[in-house]
Amino acid sequence: MRPLPAGRSVRLLRWPFADVEILADGSGMLLGVEVYPPGSRPEPSAPCGSESVERARAALEAYFENPQSLDCRDWTDEPCLARGSAFEQRIWRALADIPCGATETYGELAARVGSPGGARAAGHAARTNPLAILLPCHRVVGASGLTGYHGRTDGPFVEVKRALLQREAEQTIRWWF
């Protein structure tokens, strides 16, 4: 785990296919959610139980039990999103509109926010999304399929993305029947 800057704390969730970190500043304000391969994150040295972190924890635990339970639109006004560029903010907010169990290409996402031809920029914005899972960047894929996750194009991070998408697809099928 990277060293935490002074005044930051973490809440860690361990899922069979991923470690999920919830980051907060010294006042307990939500800074982000990051996803890593399972077993890759040691226990945090500065756990946090602020209201915003607990809200994120509860949403993520509910998502783990049933991905359909997460309303991603609930996370589009988080203060941590303000640190992105105007384009990144449009992309991050647009992620909330991708339904659970569905995918969209980077090109489709870029076009939807008014930047046709901006697939690479949309990919960069998705990679820098501060609220992984809550704003589902894992639902965005390349035109040729599953192309990467967390800035990596193969290995355990892509397997995390594959596991998230597979779990959502399985739960969506169960929800419909």
Side-chain angles (χ1 to χ4, degrees):
M1 182 167 129
R2 70 194 172 303
L4 294 174
R8 294 198 181 173
S9 54
V10 172
R11 180 73 188 253
L12 181 66
L13 304 176
R14 293 196 187 274
W15 295 347
F17 53 86
D19 287 349
V20 181
E21 285 184 324
I22 305 169
L23 304 161
D25 68 11
S27 71
M29 183 170 54
L30 185 64
L31 293 176
V33 174
E34 297 186 18
V35 181
Y36 296 94
S40 65
R41 313 313 282 170
E43 288 299 321
S45 58
C48 180
S50 73
E51 184 177 323
S52 63
V53 169
E54 287 305 306
R55 179 174 164 253
R57 180 203 52 77
L60 289 163
E61 286 181 351
Y63 168 87
F64 178 75
E65 292 301 318
N66 176 10
Q68 293 285 336
S69 70
L70 179 62
D71 187 347
C72 299
R73 294 168 297 190
D74 291 343
W75 299 92
T76 58
D77 290 325
E78 285 297 311
C80 64
L81 299 180
R83 65 181 189 246
S85 70
F87 178 77
E88 288 171 328
Q89 290 179 39
R90 286 196 317 271
I91 291 290
W92 298 339
R93 287 181 174 96
L95 294 170
D97 295 327
I98 304 171
C100 183
T103 59
E104 186 169 289
T105 68
Y106 295 104
E108 291 167 338
L109 180 62
R112 195 159 51 85
V113 301
S115 295
R120 283 184 168 224
H124 175 74
R127 183 172 44 256
T128 61
N129 168 23
L131 296 175
I133 300 175
L134 299 174
L135 296 178
C137 53
H138 62 277
R139 294 180 188 158
V140 186
V141 298
S144 61
L146 192 65
T147 54
Y149 188 58
H150 213 275
R152 287 146 176 114
T153 58
D154 61 6
F157 281 91
V158 175
E159 293 309 310
V160 169
K161 182 173 184 166
R162 187 182 323 278
L164 288 166
L165 292 172
Q166 182 176 355
R167 183 169 184 80
E168 288 184 5
E170 290 169 356
Q171 290 294 323
T172 301
I173 291 169
R174 286 188 195 131
W175 183 77
W176 283 102
F177 293 101

